[in-house]
Amino acid sequence: MAEPDFILRENCPQRRIHYILNGKWTSMVLSVLSYGPMRTGQLERALPGISKKMLTQTLREVENGGLVHREVFHVVPPKVEYSLTPLGIRFVEPLSALYDWAKDNAAALDELEDNLRRSAEAASKQGE
Amino acid sequence: MAEPDFILRENCPQRRIHYILNGKWTSMVLSVLSYGPMRTGQLERALPGISKKMLTQTLREVENGGLVHREVFHVVPPKVEYSLTPLGIRFVEPLSALYDWAKDNAAALDELEDNLRRSAEAASKQGE
DNA sequence: TCCAAAAGTTACCAAATGGTAACTACATTA
DNA sequence: TAATGTAGTTACCATTTGGTAACTTTTGGA
């Protein structure tokens, strides 16, 4: 008989998908691109706080993974457009579901963050 | 009029949920607990490769967030049982969806990993 | 008397991660 | 002649992250 579902071995689907989505910006870059092709500057403005370095680094990763297509227009000043590939579109599916959940469950997120805040305060009082 | 959906500001639902699930083991610990209450040792065996340190650290975090309940039985040798709280059960919902997707789309994961492997090889040939 | 079992803590360390700021390229425009 | 706009790179650094291994505690059993 098979081993129970709750054993999460190296290389199980669960670990594999985390391996892909573990960059700080990866999933959000994909999510933004799900709204349509975008230029670098648009992406940058869609993710306030991202640095140029992280943006290009993340874009290179998803490009290497075959999730995103990079199209260079040879003009001056430069123009580069990014868009999801068919594979990228498939990966955005579970992300959108996750984000939809987050939008619909803001109260749960609030509750969790309140809990964390309270426990952090309690811990710092200990240290006095 | 509202700004476009694809602007992902600090504190938007998308960023908030990543903030919670960003520990290496957090989401998998929650996922394992969705199968029912478990003792420390069971959790440890359900996540091959996790260290004692990371297991307790992760458990404390989800406990502080109010996602997991920790019940100590005062016996020797010690017995401690972890289980999802109602809030925890809500958070497991999108995780399960994500993991179901991953199970159903192993081919897409393969394709992505192949792409990454190939691009890594190409990059290392460059360096020779 | 000494070890086992279960859960947990601690000190220490190496690697990964991501941020800042300065720099490049180049045609157009003022 | 000098500045502008767009995409990108690079060196450098601080922080975070997570792993290892040794240690603790308590009681029952060999």
Side-chain angles (χ1 to χ4, degrees), chain A residues 1-47:
Chain A
M1 71 179 127
E3 70 183 7
D5 282 350
F6 59 79
I7 306 274
L8 302 187
R9 304 205 165 281
E10 200 67 50
N11 266 320
C12 64
Q14 290 90 337
R15 295 207 193 189
R16 291 173 81 196
I17 196 163
H18 280 304
Y19 175 74
I20 292 150
L21 304 177
N22 70 357
K24 179 169 178 184
W25 300 99
T26 311
S27 20
M28 286 189 295
V29 164
L30 294 176
S31 169
V32 170
L33 284 177
S34 74
Y35 288 85
M38 280 191 207
R39 296 186 59 177
T40 314
Q42 291 182 280
L43 277 166
E44 206 172 342
R45 286 186 297 276
L47 296 167

Side-chain angles (χ1 to χ4, degrees), chain A residues 17 21 88-100, chain B residues 94 97-102 105:
Chain A
I17 196 163
L21 304 177
I89 292 173
R90 292 185 65 193
F91 272 88
V92 161
E93 188 189 306
L95 281 182
S96 300
L98 183 67
Y99 291 159
D100 287 346
Chain B
L98 183 67
Y99 291 161
D100 286 346
W101 184 95
N105 290 268

Side-chain angles (χ1 to χ4, degrees), chain B residues 67-83:
Chain B
L67 300 171
V68 161
H69 172 70
R70 175 168 180 266
E71 183 162 13
V72 180
F73 297 81
H74 290 282
V75 295
V76 169
K79 172 176 175 179
V80 177
E81 204 171 67
Y82 295 92
S83 55

